[in-house]
Amino acid sequence: MRHRQAVLGICSAAVALSLSGCGLSGLGQAKSSPSPTSWQGKTLVVWLMKGDDSAAWMDSVKSAFLQQYAGAKIDFQVQDWTGIQQKVTDALASLTPPDVIDIGNTQTPYYAASGGLMDLTPYLGGLGASTWNSFMNKSTIYQKKQYAAPWYAGNRVVMYNKKLWKRAGLGPTPTTQEQWLSDLATLQQTSGVSSAMWLPGQNWYAFDGFLQDEGAQLVREDSPGVWSGNLDSPQALRATAFFKKLRSFGKAPVDVNEANQAAEFAKGNVGCMIAMGYEAATAVSKNVSADDIGWFPIPGKTANRPARTFLGGSNLTVSLNTQNKDLALGFLKIALNDVNESLMAKTSGFLPNRTSLYGALAGNTYAQAAAKSAPDAGYTPLLPTWGNVETSPNPVITLYLGPILQGHDASAAAQAADTEMTTRLAWN
């Protein structure tokens, strides 16, 4: 799943920083930049997903690109999420695809397996790959080859109402699951609190984080290349029990997802929820004061490590059939340089692809909380056929979480969901 961001404002001085050194020289096997006249008449087409189209970032990248490749043009085309997987698949199979495509990090294996993405392995040195965070780079590799570059990432943390926290007489935010549950119990008995914890029953990304925190994944590899569902594991049952316990401190419905939860938070009677940074802007736009919103990492079992969470985000790829290989690789180098990675972090609140740039997150309390738990965050299974599982109706929701939350037998639900996941994982 991909995550949208709210523009938080940027310092204009960041855009004015030097944009030099963005050429193709040093890009592994790529050639040095030809003379400016050789770029006349060439247009680089870049597909960005809606929400990733930060105007400040695009202006900065475009300015550097046009300076580096005089005579060339760049065409940013913003894509809607509806039907995007088929649209990208069709585009990659064409003879004239977009040159650079922004894709969800968990989608990378699917597109790489289709044969439509350029192998970037020979160009990693010039792209600065040695500085990329390893936990973000995991999603860009398929069969030990690099098919994308990590752009940004974000993970779920706890958004809480400071005013209600203070009214309940609670101290510092919790750093362990035990303390969190104790604080929720206190909040639930506090005047003006309707739900100490708002956790919709279909928030399966939160559940996946709890499962990872128990040391398991949604699937398991039975033999090389053969995968099956893994919800019948003891770890899954423990993760489900914790999910149910958290839900007991609130009134969130079983049959809804987290899409509109910020509106519930905005009512002012919700103590906390598992959320992304952009959801604060929604809550503020409706009712809640920004000063009353705080963030902390989802607590782990011990105070020295936050819980594992699902890590979403975006990768940048180059189409295998691009007619502008040098321009596309040059674009990646510019887009991922210190200036533009920092700029994306400032405008989105999401994590840049290297820790050395975390200073760009200063003052963003969501990002600071997310940065604490990101190194231990993980992904939904990085398999080419994983998208088949998430296709509606998602069996993790409809056959597992839903029935269990409605009181049905957990073992039977796990078996039903595992059977369906195993079937879908085998689809071509």
Side-chain angles (χ1 to χ4, degrees), residues 10-19 60 338-340 342-343 346:
I10 63 169
C11 175
S12 60
V15 183
L17 291 174
S18 171
L19 293 169
S60 177
D338 284 2
V339 170
N340 290 313
S342 296
L343 189 54
K346 284 178 179 290

Side-chain angles (χ1 to χ4, degrees), residues 17-296:
L17 291 174
S18 171
L19 293 169
S20 61
C22 298
L24 274 173
S25 58
L27 273 178
Q29 298 174 5
K31 299 177 181 178
S32 299
S33 300
S35 62
T37 55
S38 65
W39 306 116
Q40 291 290 341
K42 293 185 177 293
T43 299
L44 186 79
V45 177
V46 179
W47 279 12
L48 295 179
M49 295 308 304
K50 183 176 291 185
D52 287 350
D53 52 330
S54 161
W57 182 85
M58 289 191 295
D59 287 346
S60 177
V61 171
K62 182 177 182 178
S63 175
F65 181 85
L66 297 182
Q67 179 181 350
Q68 185 71 32
Y69 301 103
K73 297 180 180 179
I74 187 168
D75 181 13
F76 288 112
Q77 298 180 6
V78 181
Q79 306 298 316
D80 288 321
W81 283 102
T82 303
I84 189 58
Q85 182 163 304
Q86 188 60 51
K87 186 173 184 179
V88 170
T89 299
D90 292 343
L92 290 175
S94 72
L95 295 177
T96 56
D99 302 291
V100 176
I101 304 179
D102 158 21
I103 63 174
N105 52 12
T106 61
Q107 296 171 322
T108 304
Y110 173 82
Y111 295 124
S114 74
L117 300 182
M118 180 186 294
D119 177 8
L120 300 178
T121 307
Y123 311 102
L124 293 181
L127 293 174
S130 62
T131 65
W132 297 342
N133 286 329
S134 60
F135 63 85
M136 286 180 63
N137 200 44
K138 288 178 182 178
S139 71
T140 66
I141 297 171
Y142 178 67
Q143 294 185 341
K144 299 182 180 181
K145 293 183 179 181
Q146 188 97 22
Y147 285 98
W151 184 16
Y152 71 79
N155 58 317
R156 287 160 173 77
V157 297
V158 180
M159 181 169 74
Y160 74 101
N161 187 314
K162 292 182 180 179
K163 183 181 293 185
L164 296 182
W165 220 262
K166 183 178 181 180
R167 186 184 300 170
L170 298 175
T173 52
T175 56
T176 66
Q177 290 181 0
E178 182 179 9
Q179 183 185 349
W180 192 19
L181 293 174
S182 176
D183 287 349
L184 291 176
T186 300
L187 276 167
Q188 196 61 44
Q189 301 302 317
T190 301
S191 174
V193 176
S194 175
S195 291
M197 177 74 190
W198 186 268
L199 182 57
Q202 292 188 7
N203 189 345
W204 73 281
Y205 283 104
F207 165 74
D208 179 55
F210 300 146
L211 178 59
Q212 292 186 45
D213 202 50
E214 289 290 346
Q217 291 284 337
L218 290 162
V219 301
R220 62 175 177 265
E221 190 172 19
D222 298 322
S223 60
V226 179
W227 298 83
S228 63
N230 193 36
L231 290 174
D232 60 347
S233 65
Q235 296 95 326
L237 292 177
R238 290 197 297 270
T240 305
F242 186 62
F243 187 87
K244 290 177 65 176
K245 181 65 176 177
L246 288 175
R247 279 184 42 80
S248 71
F249 293 105
K251 301 177 181 178
V254 169
D255 59 348
V256 301
N257 61 26
E258 68 275 23
N260 297 313
Q261 65 178 6
E264 292 296 329
F265 191 91
K267 294 177 181 178
N269 57 10
V270 171
C272 65
M273 62 176 55
I274 295 171
M276 297 294 297
Y278 62 85
E279 293 180 88
T282 302
V284 169
S285 70
K286 294 182 178 294
N287 185 44
V288 178
S289 167
D291 293 336
D292 289 335
I293 296 178
W295 301 90
F296 59 87

